[in-house]
Amino acid sequence: MKNWLFRIYMYLMKIGARFTKIRENKIVVLNGAGRSGSNGYLFAKYMKKNHPEYEITVVEPWPSSHLPLSTWREIGAAKFILTTHQPFKIHAKQVNIQFWHGIPLKRMGIMANNTKRKTDMRNAKLWQKNADVVCSNSDLYETLMSACCAIETTKYQKVGFPRLDALKHPALSKAQLLTALFKVQDEQAQIAIYMPTFRYEMEDEQIMAQIKAGNFFALPDFDAESLNESLKAKHQYLIVKLHPYEMQLLGMQTSHYSNIAYLNNDYLFAHDYDLYELLGNTDMLITDYSSIYFDYLILDKPIIFVTNYLRQYEQKRGLLLGPYEEVVPGICVKTQADLLAGLSAPDRKQQKRQYWLHLTNQLQHESACAAIYTLMANQY
């Protein structure tokens, strides 16, 4: 019932905004990616700094049923509508540039195990109708996206993703990041960041109970005190960035441990950062089934994969590439003991990282933001 009401609301608001005159220099970013590698938010920052002749409005969160009519009129006035999730526009004369929010690793749309055919077909039609440009950085990306969303090949433009610009040019130095999150100075420091996928969709109460109890890794032998002591002994620091739902479930905004820090969206919003503006000065990524690891490849730094719920995740939603343990360019761990061993071991996966980097990023230009601006200015 709520879905139907929301769709009616969206339809009525689109009608109300349709009579607004389009302004040639107006850009609206519909940001559904928050501050976790948001191409839309980062592109808006670039445009405000480098092209003040354009009028930029960032609408977030998106979609929302709480937007005032004035915001809808801003959307209706935009020549360019940039989206991080479903393609959207009000007028046929508007140009929708689809950024999306990651290279797909998890199955989605018509490829997923946990979606409905009717919904998948409706979403595929939205891509066909509303997406004018789909930003890309590789043939592999286009193949994976089209497999999931039935996108025509003519819509793709290999211009890259703004989030990778931020990853290559961090807003904070490593020392500043260490001071901001851990309140320490340590010239020997190694900073790891843990970013899992949204685990709630596995619908496993046991996993959620472990996270609520403080076991953010959901590992069978988790011991936070032991983990912290091991990190401390090796001058290692762990940033934990969970999905907002899991952070709320955890119930703690600050860590009680010297070498473990929680990074939440409140901090990012308060300091006007996107996560990717900090990520470049970390030394190691720990993840599970999140596609963030594809982006992290450009840094050529170690990646550890937590795979204790791999089979369950494959059954519930599914992955686009496999076998998983053979595909991923890093060691796979299922226990805290394995994780600690991985944090201590020298990295031997550089060649595999480079292999996957060449498959997932064929672009050589310095700035995706500049390439996207050029596309907008010259072709539209």
Side-chain angles (χ1 to χ4, degrees), residues 123-241:
N123 290 336
K125 288 180 180 178
L126 287 176
W127 282 89
Q128 294 164 11
K129 178 183 177 182
N130 290 332
D132 296 295
V133 173
V134 180
C135 296
S136 168
N137 68 345
S138 68
D139 294 336
L140 179 61
Y141 176 78
E142 295 169 16
T143 299
L144 296 175
M145 287 294 291
S146 290
C148 295
C149 302
I151 303 168
E152 300 101 323
T153 186
T154 54
K155 293 183 181 292
Y156 292 106
Q157 292 280 352
K158 284 188 176 67
V159 288
F161 305 117
R163 66 180 185 270
L164 297 187
D165 290 358
L167 195 55
K168 291 183 287 187
H169 302 286
L172 294 181
S173 68
K174 184 175 177 179
Q176 289 172 324
L177 182 61
L178 199 65
T179 301
L181 297 184
F182 297 94
K183 307 296 188 290
V184 298
Q185 296 178 351
D186 186 345
E187 293 183 357
Q188 301 178 61
Q190 288 184 314
I191 304 175
I193 185 166
Y194 173 52
M195 286 194 62
T197 191
F198 183 37
R199 293 169 285 187
Y200 179 77
E201 67 180 342
M202 282 192 282
E203 300 176 357
D204 189 316
E205 294 182 3
Q206 179 186 2
I207 297 175
M208 295 300 105
Q210 290 182 73
I211 295 171
K212 188 174 182 179
N215 181 359
F216 47 80
F217 278 119
L219 292 171
D221 58 341
F222 180 78
D223 183 327
E225 189 71 42
S226 173
L227 173 63
N228 188 71
E229 288 304 309
S230 178
L231 293 169
K232 191 174 180 180
K234 296 190 288 287
H235 293 269
Q236 293 178 331
Y237 298 82
L238 176 64
I239 301 171
V240 178
K241 177 66 174 74

Side-chain angles (χ1 to χ4, degrees), residues 225 228 252 254-260 262:
E225 189 71 42
N228 188 71
M252 292 181 286
T254 57
S255 166
H256 302 306
Y257 298 98
S258 62
N259 288 52
I260 302 172
Y262 299 133

Side-chain angles (χ1 to χ4, degrees), residues 45 75-76 83 106-107 129 159 197 230 241 308 318 326:
K45 288 184 75 171
I75 298 171
T83 48
K106 301 172 289 188
R107 288 175 179 252
K129 178 183 177 182
V159 288
T197 191
S230 178
K241 177 66 174 74
N308 52 320
E326 296 180 20

